């Protein structure tokens, strides 16, 4: 492949030659919105390099280029240049390339002189002419004052002329030039089909790979180096298909990447060199002079990430920072370059402290029913789970499951059941789920035992009724709540001490159930193999409460809250800004 490909980036002003759009391609079809988007992207990108999609060509025997892919943008840029030339710069702008559609004889003449008169000769011409009008309107609409339109538009023309490198001051809009040699007609059609059927574009990873595998020298040493890169490339790609590794590195969905190695390349592009276009990663690598040496940097970067993944403390601390959104992996790598092990650990601990140092709010004041508080509580509970798992050393925190799931906060002691949606099936399920809890209450007092039997009878009667009402449910729910709840007068329903992490689906399934019913359902979920975060499981097993009598197993008491918060303070003492108050 390397002998048959020339791959580089070219400024628009460096594109020259005659381009033939072959008959196997459809004609020009860009709509006004696509033209405006291109113009806005070029303008908004500022002075950063902006790479347009790859222009895939092959040189014909007559010296002309067959345009295999990229004709829509190359044609649009040509129309833009013609507009600038005809309306503003006239003889001071030279366009170095021309376009001709094989199925439209005279298309080159129309592109050089676009008029309403011939716009309806072919459908392609109408789209081209509409693009020309869209460009004209876009430039003129840059001024809100009609009298100043020409002057303001001229200023934008000068700006675009610079971006397209039509002046001596240079430009920054580039095409990715992908030239294939020694390709037969049928292979060119096959390549076009691969690129266009289902719109599977050349990706950053494919282009970067071609860069590394395009060798100028034709010798044994160069061939050996190329083979080594190809082998190492495949190894990295295979290892990145380990979902545990992937989800340690990023919260991004792996399905968004056709080649997972592209994530590593994206990490390596400095933040100030990233731009809005799709191929900024390719452009960054295309500017490297000694690609053989730079591949060593790629390997060094990758193996550093792999080393972090393998070491438990680093895996958990770095994985947490990425999962909670406090730091991107690329930033962690950049900020820890050349750090010794002790410095790296100190850096990570400081970043974790920073991640839960919330401005102007104490931990004890965080509330579920506040948007900011909800996010802060979620972050503390995530850290509590990660550090708890890390310290026990039996297993690893599964970032693969965490990053691929939508999480929510679950009330350990529920919000009042009457807050449930007013649906009979939900009321019945709620009463049914609490039958076992009430029946297992060990009431030694004779009056309490009678109240228990009476309540069980009312619950069964409720379930037997053909139709039930909100008032009937509220009466039963109040009695069940009274029987199974701690008698604290404090309203701590929405506080940190009453929150645990569960997936949104699991949260919905619990349906405002009381503690014992939730405990039973969570145990069933765990038995079915559903992932329950470590600390959530421990909460419903009363792991944090030193002495839990039989009655306490049915409710979430003040003692339980205090024990839960004490466990957080104990596990997170190296990171908390202040001690959490129950």
């Amino acid at each position: 492949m390397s002998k048959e490909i020339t791959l580089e980036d070219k400024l628009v002003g460096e594109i020259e030659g005659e381009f033939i759009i072959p008959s196997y391609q459809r004609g020009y079809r860009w709509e006004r919105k696509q033209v405006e988007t291109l113009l806005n992207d070029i303008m908004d990108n500022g002075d950063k390099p902006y790479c347009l999609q790859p222009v895939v060509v092959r040189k014909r025997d007559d010296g002309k280029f067959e345009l295999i892919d990229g004709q829509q943008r190359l044609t649009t840029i040509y129309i833009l240049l013609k507009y600038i030339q005809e309306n503003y710069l006239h003889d001071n702008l030279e366009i170095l390339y021309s376009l001709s559609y094989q199925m439209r004889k005279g298309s080159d003449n129309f592109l050089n002189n676009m008029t309403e008169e011939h716009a309806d000769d072919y459908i392609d011409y109408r789209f081209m002419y509409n693009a020309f009008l869209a460009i004209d309107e876009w430039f003129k609409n840059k001024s809100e004052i009609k009298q100043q339109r020409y002057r303001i538009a001229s200023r934008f023309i000068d700006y675009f002329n610079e971006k397209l490198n039509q002046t001596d001051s240079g430009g920054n809009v580039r095409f990715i030039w992908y030239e294939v040699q020694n390709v037969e007609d049928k292979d060119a059609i096959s390549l076009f089909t691969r690129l266009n059927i289902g719109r599977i574009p050349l990706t950053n990873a494919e282009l970067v790979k071609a860069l590394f595998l395009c060798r100028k020298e034709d010798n044994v040493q160069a061939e050996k180096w190329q083979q080594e890169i190809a082998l190492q490339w495949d190894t990295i790609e295979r290892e990145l298909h380990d979902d545990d590794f992937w989800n340690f590195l990023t919260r991004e969905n792996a399905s968004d990447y056709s080649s997972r190695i592209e994530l590593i390349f994206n990490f390596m592009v400095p933040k100030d060199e990233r731009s809005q276009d799709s191929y900024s990663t390719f452009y960054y690598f295309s500017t490297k002079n000694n690609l053989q040496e730079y591949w060593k940097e790629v390997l060094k970067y990758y193996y550093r990430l792999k080393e972090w993944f393998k070491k438990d403390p680093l895996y958990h601390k770095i994985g947490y920072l990425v999962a909670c959104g406090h730091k991107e992996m690329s930033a962690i790598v950049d900020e820890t370059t050349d750090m010794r092990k002790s410095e790296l650990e100190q850096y990570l601990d400081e970043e974790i402290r920073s991640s839960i140092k919330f401005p102007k709010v104490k931990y004890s004041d965080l509330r579920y029913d506040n948007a900011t508080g909800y996010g802060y509580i979620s972050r503390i509970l995530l850290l509590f789970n990660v550090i708890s798992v890390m310290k026990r050393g039996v297993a690893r925190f599964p970032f693969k499951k965490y990053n691929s799931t939508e999480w929510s906060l679950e009330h350990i002691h529920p919000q009042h059941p009457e807050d449930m949606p007013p649906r009979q099936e939900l009321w019945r399920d709620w009463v049914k789920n609490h039958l076992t809890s009430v029946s297992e209450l060990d009431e030694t007092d004779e009056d309490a035992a009678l109240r228990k039997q009476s309540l069980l009878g009312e619950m069964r009667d409720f379930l037997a009724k053909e139709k039930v009402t909100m008032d009937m449910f509220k009466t039963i729910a109040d009695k069940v709540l009274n029987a199974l709840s701690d008698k604290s007068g404090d309203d701590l329903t929405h506080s940190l001490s009453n929150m645990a992490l569960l997936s949104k689906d699991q949260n919905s399934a619990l349906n405002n159930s009381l503690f014992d019913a939730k405990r039973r359902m969570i145990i069933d979920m765990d038995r079915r193999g559903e992932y329950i975060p470590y600390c959530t499981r421990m909460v419903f097993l009363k792991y944090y409460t030193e002495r839990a009598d039989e009655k306490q197993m049915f409710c979430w008491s003040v003692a339980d809250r205090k024990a839960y918060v004490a466990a957080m303070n104990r596990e997170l003492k190296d990171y908390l800004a202040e001690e959490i108050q129950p």
Side-chain angles (χ1 to χ4, degrees):
M1 181 181 77
S2 64
K3 293 180 181 179
E4 298 178 343
I5 290 177
T6 298
L7 182 60
E8 58 187 323
D9 62 279
K10 286 189 176 186
L11 291 163
V12 168
E14 296 173 338
I15 300 290
E16 57 182 309
E18 296 182 54
F19 291 85
I20 307 298
I21 291 89
S23 56
Y24 56 75
Q25 295 196 32
R26 72 169 184 167
Y28 182 74
R29 291 296 185 274
W30 262 28
E31 304 276 359
R32 172 182 294 271
K33 185 176 180 181
Q34 292 164 294
V35 174
E36 291 173 348
T37 298
L38 175 62
L39 295 172
N40 287 328
D41 285 348
I42 292 173
M43 187 178 76
D44 294 342
N45 199 62
D47 293 330
K48 291 183 178 179
Y50 185 84
C51 281
L52 297 161
Q53 75 176 55
V55 169
V56 183
V57 300
R58 68 163 176 169
K59 199 162 190 177
R60 307 193 323 178
D61 293 339
D62 59 7
K64 297 178 182 180
F65 290 103
E66 179 181 336
L67 185 56
I68 297 173
D69 194 43
Q71 61 120 331
Q72 304 290 337
R73 275 184 175 82
L74 192 61
T75 302
T76 305
I77 291 294
Y78 185 86
I79 296 170
L80 172 60
L81 292 173
K82 286 298 297 181
Y83 174 81
I84 294 173
Q85 183 188 65
E86 291 183 5
N87 291 276
Y88 296 94
L89 298 182
H90 304 290
D91 296 332
N92 295 322
L93 171 58
E94 183 183 6
I95 304 174
L96 302 178
Y97 71 93
S98 64
L99 292 160
S100 179
Y101 285 72
Q102 199 172 50
M103 289 294 290
R104 295 286 180 259
K105 294 194 181 299
S107 56
D108 52 342
N109 293 327
F110 180 78
L111 280 166
N112 283 320
N113 184 28
M114 280 175 282
T115 63
E116 178 72 36
E117 181 184 357
H118 294 288
D120 290 321
D121 288 358
Y122 299 105
I123 190 170
D124 309 49
Y125 292 5
R126 171 51 63 183
F127 276 97
M128 292 171 186
Y129 186 68
N130 286 345
F132 189 85
L133 295 178
I135 291 168
D136 177 57
E137 186 176 333
W138 187 90
F139 277 106
K140 289 179 178 176
N141 282 342
K142 289 304 167 184
S143 169
E144 295 179 359
I145 306 172
K146 291 184 179 181
Q147 295 89 330
Q148 295 182 351
R149 272 189 172 179
Y150 188 88
R151 182 172 62 80
I152 299 296
S154 295
R155 192 189 311 159
F156 277 96
I157 288 292
D158 290 339
Y159 174 83
F160 263 76
N161 198 39
E162 284 189 15
K163 301 302 108 181
L164 300 172
N165 196 32
Q166 300 301 316
T167 70
D168 293 336
S169 60
N172 64 348
V173 181
R174 294 169 159 81
F175 277 103
I176 298 171
W177 183 262
Y178 195 107
E179 184 177 343
V180 294
Q181 292 101 29
N182 304 323
V183 174
E184 301 296 329
D185 287 348
K186 63 178 181 179
D187 295 324
I189 295 172
S190 175
L191 178 55
F192 169 79
T193 302
R194 174 255 186 274
L195 292 170
N196 288 274
I197 300 303
R199 286 312 306 164
I200 306 173
L202 286 166
T203 65
N204 270 300
E206 289 174 313
L207 292 168
V208 171
K209 186 174 186 178
L211 272 179
F212 282 114
L213 299 185
C214 283
R215 67 179 189 271
K216 305 294 186 211
E217 307 87 358
D218 189 11
N219 55 58
V220 174
Q221 186 176 359
E223 185 174 351
K224 182 180 179 183
W225 172 64
Q226 187 183 43
Q227 290 172 348
E228 287 178 359
I229 288 181
L231 181 60
Q232 291 162 343
W233 183 291
D234 290 344
T235 299
I236 293 173
E237 180 68 25
R238 184 176 64 253
E239 291 178 348
L240 286 170
H241 273 75
D242 176 356
D243 288 335
D244 286 316
F245 189 21
W246 177 268
N247 285 280
F248 162 71
L249 297 173
T250 182
R251 293 185 299 167
E252 294 186 63
N253 194 327
S255 63
D256 293 337
Y257 287 78
S258 58
S259 299
R260 294 196 180 189
I261 196 172
E262 187 172 338
L263 179 71
I264 307 302
F265 298 141
N266 291 346
F267 283 168
M268 296 183 71
V269 179
K271 193 171 184 179
D272 59 354
E273 294 192 38
R274 299 174 194 167
S275 64
Q276 296 181 23
D277 75 89
S278 305
Y279 295 103
S280 60
T281 300
F282 162 78
Y283 175 74
Y284 172 76
F285 281 91
S286 72
T287 61
K288 302 303 172 187
N289 294 324
N290 191 333
L291 284 173
Q292 184 171 359
E293 286 301 312
Y294 203 77
W295 178 252
K296 294 178 183 177
E297 291 299 313
V298 174
L299 292 177
K300 183 179 177 182
Y301 195 106
Y302 174 75
Y303 287 126
R304 188 179 185 197
L305 295 174
K306 192 175 176 182
E307 181 184 12
W308 288 352
F309 172 70
K310 288 184 174 181
K311 294 185 176 179
D312 269 6
L314 296 181
Y315 165 84
H316 284 100
K317 292 178 181 181
I318 294 172
Y320 159 76
L321 290 172
V322 172
C324 77
H326 181 69
K327 281 281 184 180
E328 291 184 358
M329 184 64 76
S330 56
I332 296 174
V333 176
D334 291 345
E335 293 169 17
T336 60
T337 302
D338 300 325
M339 277 189 182
R340 295 190 296 272
K341 181 182 177 182
S342 59
E343 293 173 322
L344 173 60
E345 291 173 350
Q346 185 178 354
Y347 164 88
L348 294 175
D349 287 341
E350 187 54 45
E351 288 298 332
I352 293 173
R353 289 187 200 98
S354 176
S355 75
I356 56 169
K357 188 175 182 179
F358 308 131
K360 300 179 182 179
V361 60
K362 292 185 177 181
Y363 298 133
S364 55
D365 295 331
L366 296 176
R367 301 273 299 176
Y368 165 91
D369 51 354
N370 174 280
T372 304
Y374 189 102
Y376 289 163
I377 292 173
S378 298
R379 186 171 288 194
I380 290 173
L381 292 180
L382 171 60
L383 181 61
F384 182 36
N385 276 274
V386 171
I387 297 300
S388 296
V389 170
M390 182 189 79
K391 286 185 175 181
R392 274 135 196 86
V394 177
R396 289 181 142 200
F397 184 84
F399 291 109
K400 175 176 71 173
K401 292 180 179 177
Y402 183 83
N403 288 340
S404 60
T405 304
E406 194 173 359
W407 294 93
S408 65
L409 294 179
E410 169 66 19
H411 289 80
I412 302 171
H413 176 78
Q415 303 179 73
H416 199 281
E418 68 186 28
D419 294 333
M420 292 169 56
R423 298 209 303 269
Q424 290 195 46
E425 66 270 20
L426 295 180
W427 299 335
R428 293 180 190 279
D429 286 344
W430 191 93
V431 173
K432 192 175 186 181
N433 286 336
H434 291 85
L435 269 173
T436 303
S437 300
V438 173
S439 66
E440 289 187 359
L441 279 172
D442 186 18
E443 302 289 11
T444 54
D445 178 82
E446 187 175 346
D447 288 339
L450 289 173
R451 286 195 298 272
K452 167 186 163 180
Q453 292 304 320
S454 175
L455 177 56
L456 285 171
E458 290 181 54
M459 294 171 75
R460 293 187 182 106
D461 287 345
F462 178 89
L463 292 172
K465 291 181 184 297
E466 185 176 342
K467 183 177 181 180
V468 292
T469 66
M470 168 66 88
D471 287 340
M472 293 166 62
F473 171 68
K474 186 177 181 302
T475 300
I476 290 286
D478 283 343
K479 291 181 179 181
V480 173
L481 195 65
N482 185 60
L484 296 176
S485 297
D486 181 65
K487 305 304 186 289
S488 168
D490 297 328
D491 183 14
L492 299 172
T493 303
H494 296 313
S495 70
L496 174 58
S497 65
N498 192 45
M499 295 292 144
L501 277 181
L502 272 179
S503 74
K504 280 202 169 182
D505 290 343
Q506 293 166 340
N507 193 323
S508 299
L510 297 187
N511 236 352
N512 273 23
S513 301
L514 297 180
F515 180 84
D516 186 58
K518 287 185 180 181
R519 180 178 65 82
R520 295 172 188 275
M521 285 187 276
I522 285 173
I523 289 173
D524 283 343
M525 291 174 185
D526 191 57
R527 284 173 178 158
R528 292 196 299 268
E530 295 182 36
Y531 172 64
I532 308 295
Y534 173 82
C535 296
T536 301
R537 193 186 314 121
M538 294 300 103
V539 159
F540 286 96
L541 292 177
K542 290 287 184 106
Y543 175 84
Y544 300 114
T545 308
E546 286 191 19
R547 291 186 179 86
D549 59 32
E550 204 166 321
K551 176 68 179 281
Q552 265 191 321
M553 290 305 295
F554 292 94
C555 65
W556 185 244
S557 68
V558 172
D560 295 323
R561 295 175 189 270
K562 289 180 178 179
Y564 185 40
V565 168
M568 290 186 203
N569 285 322
R570 186 168 58 251
E571 298 291 338
L572 303 181
K573 65 180 179 179
D574 294 332
Y575 307 110
L576 295 171
E578 80 267 347
E579 194 170 81
I580 304 172
Q581 299 301 317

